Amino acid sequence: MKALYPGSFDPLTLGHLDLIERAERLFGELVVAVLQNPSKQASFPLEQRLSQIRQATAHLETVEVSCFDGLTVDFARRCDSTVILRGLRAMSDFEFELQIAHTNRSLAAEVETLFLATAAHHSFLSSSVVKEVARFGGDVRHMVPPGVADDLARLFNR
Ligand code: ADP
């Protein structure tokens, strides 16, 4: 079964990567797709986010890295995936994620949203927290893959 893991990944964190590794084992095939969201100003250009994910998932044979704009369910149909995968870190993620899941199901009943609980030791991680720490010169090497740590250092001239 092929699953789709969509997100902004601005940038990829070890929390995302943990979810990707576990999902690949569960589903066999996984498409990690960066959403090009014009209403969200990204810190990293799309190409850089794609290459961060490609580099960090190079050891995972059945992970495909892609990007899309428009509706997630339309992209899920295009890549022949009947599962949209999302991570849940805490209750605070739940309300928003449930709303999106219901919306997506109303648009495409054949596409199921599945949630994976984040690894406990990564549940404090978010792309924005990582950027905040890096901006002020904190060490982020336990939060992101090595290539992303380098990109963050360059972004904030560290
Ligand atoms: P979005 O803007 O679509 O929420 P994100 O890149 O922030 O994009 O997150 C993409 C997905 O990864 C979401 O399902 C989110 O819950 C999940 N996620 C975010 N941070 C973590 C983490 N630390 N561990 C596991 N999953 C996470």
Side-chain angles (χ1 to χ4, degrees), residues 5-10 13 15-16 19 40 86-89 93 97 118 122 125-127:
Y5 180 36
S8 310
F9 306 109
D10 186 38
T13 70
H16 294 132
L19 215 86
K40 255 191 186 179
R86 296 285 291 176
L88 286 179
R89 285 164 292 189
D93 282 340
E97 291 296 340
T118 299
H122 287 139
L125 282 180
S126 71
S127 298

mmCIF file of all heavy atoms in Angstrom, residues 5-10 13 15-16 19 40 86-89 93 97 118 122 125-127, ligand 1:
data_model
loop_
_atom_site.group_PDB
_atom_site.id
_atom_site.type_symbol
_atom_site.label_atom_id
_atom_site.label_comp_id
_atom_site.label_asym_id
_atom_site.label_seq_id
_atom_site.Cartn_x
_atom_site.Cartn_y
_atom_site.Cartn_z
ATOM 1 N N TYR A 5 2.705 11.336 2.598
ATOM 2 C CA TYR A 5 2.991 12.144 3.790
ATOM 3 C C TYR A 5 3.237 13.580 3.329
ATOM 4 O O TYR A 5 4.337 13.906 2.870
ATOM 5 C CB TYR A 5 4.209 11.557 4.509
ATOM 6 C CG TYR A 5 4.637 12.283 5.772
ATOM 7 C CD1 TYR A 5 3.716 12.859 6.643
ATOM 8 C CD2 TYR A 5 5.980 12.366 6.116
ATOM 9 C CE1 TYR A 5 4.121 13.506 7.806
ATOM 10 C CE2 TYR A 5 6.401 12.998 7.279
ATOM 11 C CZ TYR A 5 5.464 13.572 8.114
ATOM 12 O OH TYR A 5 5.874 14.211 9.265
ATOM 13 N N PRO A 6 2.210 14.420 3.420
ATOM 14 C CA PRO A 6 2.358 15.798 2.948
ATOM 15 C C PRO A 6 2.747 16.737 4.093
ATOM 16 O O PRO A 6 2.435 16.473 5.254
ATOM 17 C CB PRO A 6 0.934 16.134 2.473
ATOM 18 C CG PRO A 6 0.054 15.359 3.411
ATOM 19 C CD PRO A 6 0.825 14.144 3.868
ATOM 20 N N GLY A 7 3.402 17.821 3.756
ATOM 21 C CA GLY A 7 3.735 18.808 4.787
ATOM 22 C C GLY A 7 4.521 19.958 4.205
ATOM 23 O O GLY A 7 4.836 19.972 3.014
ATOM 24 N N SER A 8 4.824 20.917 5.083
ATOM 25 C CA SER A 8 5.628 22.062 4.640
ATOM 26 C C SER A 8 7.115 21.727 4.722
ATOM 27 O O SER A 8 7.905 22.185 3.905
ATOM 28 C CB SER A 8 5.356 23.280 5.522
ATOM 29 O OG SER A 8 3.980 23.500 5.652
ATOM 30 N N PHE A 9 7.502 20.975 5.752
ATOM 31 C CA PHE A 9 8.901 20.557 5.942
ATOM 32 C C PHE A 9 9.852 21.753 5.772
ATOM 33 O O PHE A 9 10.778 21.709 4.974
ATOM 34 C CB PHE A 9 9.269 19.418 4.979
ATOM 35 C CG PHE A 9 8.331 18.247 5.058
ATOM 36 C CD1 PHE A 9 7.439 17.968 4.022
ATOM 37 C CD2 PHE A 9 8.304 17.430 6.177
ATOM 38 C CE1 PHE A 9 6.551 16.894 4.097
ATOM 39 C CE2 PHE A 9 7.424 16.346 6.269
ATOM 40 C CZ PHE A 9 6.544 16.081 5.219
ATOM 41 N N ASP A 10 9.598 22.790 6.543
ATOM 42 C CA ASP A 10 10.334 24.065 6.384
ATOM 43 C C ASP A 10 11.110 24.415 7.646
ATOM 44 O O ASP A 10 10.750 25.390 8.318
ATOM 45 C CB ASP A 10 9.323 25.165 6.017
ATOM 46 C CG ASP A 10 10.010 26.474 5.705
ATOM 47 O OD1 ASP A 10 11.082 26.440 5.082
ATOM 48 O OD2 ASP A 10 9.476 27.539 6.078
ATOM 49 N N THR A 13 12.690 17.990 10.109
ATOM 50 C CA THR A 13 13.276 17.758 11.436
ATOM 51 C C THR A 13 13.454 16.250 11.649
ATOM 52 O O THR A 13 12.953 15.444 10.856
ATOM 53 C CB THR A 13 12.372 18.291 12.567
ATOM 54 O OG1 THR A 13 11.197 17.464 12.640
ATOM 55 C CG2 THR A 13 11.967 19.735 12.345
ATOM 56 N N GLY A 15 11.956 14.666 13.849
ATOM 57 C CA GLY A 15 10.590 14.172 14.104
ATOM 58 C C GLY A 15 9.940 13.710 12.810
ATOM 59 O O GLY A 15 9.363 12.621 12.732
ATOM 60 N N HIS A 16 10.041 14.557 11.777
ATOM 61 C CA HIS A 16 9.528 14.162 10.453
ATOM 62 C C HIS A 16 10.210 12.878 9.980
ATOM 63 O O HIS A 16 9.557 11.963 9.488
ATOM 64 C CB HIS A 16 9.818 15.255 9.408
ATOM 65 C CG HIS A 16 9.097 16.554 9.620
ATOM 66 N ND1 HIS A 16 9.747 17.769 9.575
ATOM 67 C CD2 HIS A 16 7.800 16.853 9.853
ATOM 68 C CE1 HIS A 16 8.876 18.744 9.757
ATOM 69 N NE2 HIS A 16 7.687 18.222 9.946
ATOM 70 N N LEU A 19 9.046 9.739 11.561
ATOM 71 C CA LEU A 19 7.737 9.351 11.026
ATOM 72 C C LEU A 19 7.888 8.701 9.652
ATOM 73 O O LEU A 19 7.230 7.706 9.335
ATOM 74 C CB LEU A 19 6.852 10.590 10.924
ATOM 75 C CG LEU A 19 5.377 10.333 11.200
ATOM 76 C CD1 LEU A 19 5.118 10.414 12.696
ATOM 77 C CD2 LEU A 19 4.513 11.337 10.480
ATOM 78 N N LYS A 40 1.698 30.670 2.760
ATOM 79 C CA LYS A 40 2.707 30.533 3.817
ATOM 80 C C LYS A 40 4.062 30.961 3.272
ATOM 81 O O LYS A 40 4.532 30.410 2.287
ATOM 82 C CB LYS A 40 2.808 29.052 4.237
ATOM 83 C CG LYS A 40 2.158 28.724 5.567
ATOM 84 C CD LYS A 40 2.554 27.321 6.002
ATOM 85 C CE LYS A 40 1.824 26.882 7.264
ATOM 86 N NZ LYS A 40 2.186 25.515 7.672
ATOM 87 N N ARG A 86 -0.483 11.731 8.644
ATOM 88 C CA ARG A 86 -0.114 12.934 9.386
ATOM 89 C C ARG A 86 0.394 12.535 10.764
ATOM 90 O O ARG A 86 0.019 11.475 11.279
ATOM 91 C CB ARG A 86 -1.331 13.868 9.536
ATOM 92 C CG ARG A 86 -1.857 14.397 8.212
ATOM 93 C CD ARG A 86 -1.004 15.479 7.615
ATOM 94 N NE ARG A 86 -1.065 16.709 8.391
ATOM 95 C CZ ARG A 86 -0.332 17.785 8.110
ATOM 96 N NH1 ARG A 86 0.532 17.774 7.101
ATOM 97 N NH2 ARG A 86 -0.445 18.867 8.843
ATOM 98 N N GLY A 87 1.224 13.356 11.338
ATOM 99 C CA GLY A 87 1.769 13.070 12.660
ATOM 100 C C GLY A 87 1.005 13.834 13.727
ATOM 101 O O GLY A 87 0.539 14.942 13.487
ATOM 102 N N LEU A 88 0.876 13.236 14.897
ATOM 103 C CA LEU A 88 0.259 13.929 16.027
ATOM 104 C C LEU A 88 1.270 14.017 17.163
ATOM 105 O O LEU A 88 1.750 13.007 17.663
ATOM 106 C CB LEU A 88 -0.980 13.174 16.525
ATOM 107 C CG LEU A 88 -2.240 13.234 15.674
ATOM 108 C CD1 LEU A 88 -3.338 12.414 16.334
ATOM 109 C CD2 LEU A 88 -2.707 14.658 15.463
ATOM 110 N N ARG A 89 1.587 15.250 17.546
ATOM 111 C CA ARG A 89 2.557 15.447 18.630
ATOM 112 C C ARG A 89 1.857 15.567 19.972
ATOM 113 O O ARG A 89 2.328 15.068 20.976
ATOM 114 C CB ARG A 89 3.376 16.728 18.381
ATOM 115 C CG ARG A 89 4.400 16.562 17.300
ATOM 116 C CD ARG A 89 4.905 17.888 16.809
ATOM 117 N NE ARG A 89 3.859 18.611 16.108
ATOM 118 C CZ ARG A 89 4.060 19.710 15.424
ATOM 119 N NH1 ARG A 89 5.255 20.244 15.375
ATOM 120 N NH2 ARG A 89 3.066 20.291 14.794
ATOM 121 N N ASP A 93 -2.342 19.474 18.355
ATOM 122 C CA ASP A 93 -2.370 19.192 16.912
ATOM 123 C C ASP A 93 -3.733 18.631 16.488
ATOM 124 O O ASP A 93 -4.125 18.730 15.337
ATOM 125 C CB ASP A 93 -1.325 18.112 16.542
ATOM 126 C CG ASP A 93 0.093 18.656 16.472
ATOM 127 O OD1 ASP A 93 0.245 19.876 16.320
ATOM 128 O OD2 ASP A 93 1.030 17.841 16.548
ATOM 129 N N GLU A 97 -5.967 18.948 12.882
ATOM 130 C CA GLU A 97 -5.782 17.776 12.008
ATOM 131 C C GLU A 97 -7.107 17.068 11.744
ATOM 132 O O GLU A 97 -7.347 16.575 10.645
ATOM 133 C CB GLU A 97 -4.771 16.801 12.637
ATOM 134 C CG GLU A 97 -3.350 17.327 12.675
ATOM 135 C CD GLU A 97 -2.742 17.554 11.285
ATOM 136 O OE1 GLU A 97 -3.226 16.988 10.292
ATOM 137 O OE2 GLU A 97 -1.777 18.338 11.208
ATOM 138 N N THR A 118 3.758 10.764 17.240
ATOM 139 C CA THR A 118 5.169 11.129 17.190
ATOM 140 C C THR A 118 5.960 10.388 18.263
ATOM 141 O O THR A 118 5.436 10.142 19.352
ATOM 142 C CB THR A 118 5.262 12.640 17.460
ATOM 143 O OG1 THR A 118 4.550 13.301 16.443
ATOM 144 C CG2 THR A 118 6.673 13.123 17.479
ATOM 145 N N HIS A 122 10.723 13.125 20.322
ATOM 146 C CA HIS A 122 10.703 14.140 19.266
ATOM 147 C C HIS A 122 9.443 15.006 19.322
ATOM 148 O O HIS A 122 9.232 15.838 18.451
ATOM 149 C CB HIS A 122 10.776 13.472 17.880
ATOM 150 C CG HIS A 122 12.121 12.932 17.557
ATOM 151 N ND1 HIS A 122 12.296 11.719 16.940
ATOM 152 C CD2 HIS A 122 13.353 13.444 17.762
ATOM 153 C CE1 HIS A 122 13.586 11.500 16.783
ATOM 154 N NE2 HIS A 122 14.243 12.527 17.278
ATOM 155 N N LEU A 125 9.507 18.810 19.026
ATOM 156 C CA LEU A 125 10.117 19.410 17.828
ATOM 157 C C LEU A 125 9.089 19.954 16.854
ATOM 158 O O LEU A 125 8.083 19.312 16.573
ATOM 159 C CB LEU A 125 10.930 18.352 17.079
ATOM 160 C CG LEU A 125 12.302 17.990 17.620
ATOM 161 C CD1 LEU A 125 12.927 16.926 16.732
ATOM 162 C CD2 LEU A 125 13.180 19.230 17.672
ATOM 163 N N SER A 126 9.378 21.119 16.330
ATOM 164 C CA SER A 126 8.615 21.636 15.197
ATOM 165 C C SER A 126 9.588 22.427 14.344
ATOM 166 O O SER A 126 10.637 22.874 14.840
ATOM 167 C CB SER A 126 7.464 22.530 15.659
ATOM 168 O OG SER A 126 7.978 23.739 16.158
ATOM 169 N N SER A 127 9.242 22.621 13.089
ATOM 170 C CA SER A 127 10.130 23.391 12.210
ATOM 171 C C SER A 127 10.347 24.785 12.779
ATOM 172 O O SER A 127 11.458 25.329 12.724
ATOM 173 C CB SER A 127 9.533 23.479 10.800
ATOM 174 O OG SER A 127 9.405 22.190 10.250
HETATM 175 P P1 ADP B 1 2.232 21.429 7.946
HETATM 176 O O1 ADP B 1 2.479 22.854 7.649
HETATM 177 O O2 ADP B 1 1.537 20.693 6.853
HETATM 178 O O3 ADP B 1 1.673 21.125 9.306
HETATM 179 P P2 ADP B 1 4.770 20.403 8.888
HETATM 180 O O4 ADP B 1 6.003 20.283 8.081
HETATM 181 O O5 ADP B 1 4.818 21.309 10.066
HETATM 182 O O6 ADP B 1 3.683 20.787 7.848
HETATM 183 O O7 ADP B 1 4.303 18.977 9.396
HETATM 184 C C1 ADP B 1 4.051 17.938 8.498
HETATM 185 C C2 ADP B 1 3.555 16.730 9.276
HETATM 186 O O8 ADP B 1 4.580 16.280 10.154
HETATM 187 C C3 ADP B 1 2.343 16.982 10.153
HETATM 188 O O9 ADP B 1 1.520 15.841 10.125
HETATM 189 C C4 ADP B 1 2.917 17.174 11.519
HETATM 190 O O10 ADP B 1 2.002 16.797 12.542
HETATM 191 C C5 ADP B 1 4.077 16.209 11.463
HETATM 192 N N1 ADP B 1 5.138 16.597 12.394
HETATM 193 C C6 ADP B 1 5.581 17.833 12.679
HETATM 194 N N2 ADP B 1 6.548 17.810 13.620
HETATM 195 C C7 ADP B 1 6.711 16.508 13.947
HETATM 196 C C8 ADP B 1 7.542 15.814 14.886
HETATM 197 N N3 ADP B 1 8.344 16.467 15.720
HETATM 198 N N4 ADP B 1 7.453 14.473 14.926
HETATM 199 C C9 ADP B 1 6.616 13.814 14.097
HETATM 200 N N5 ADP B 1 5.792 14.403 13.236
HETATM 201 C C10 ADP B 1 5.827 15.728 13.149
#
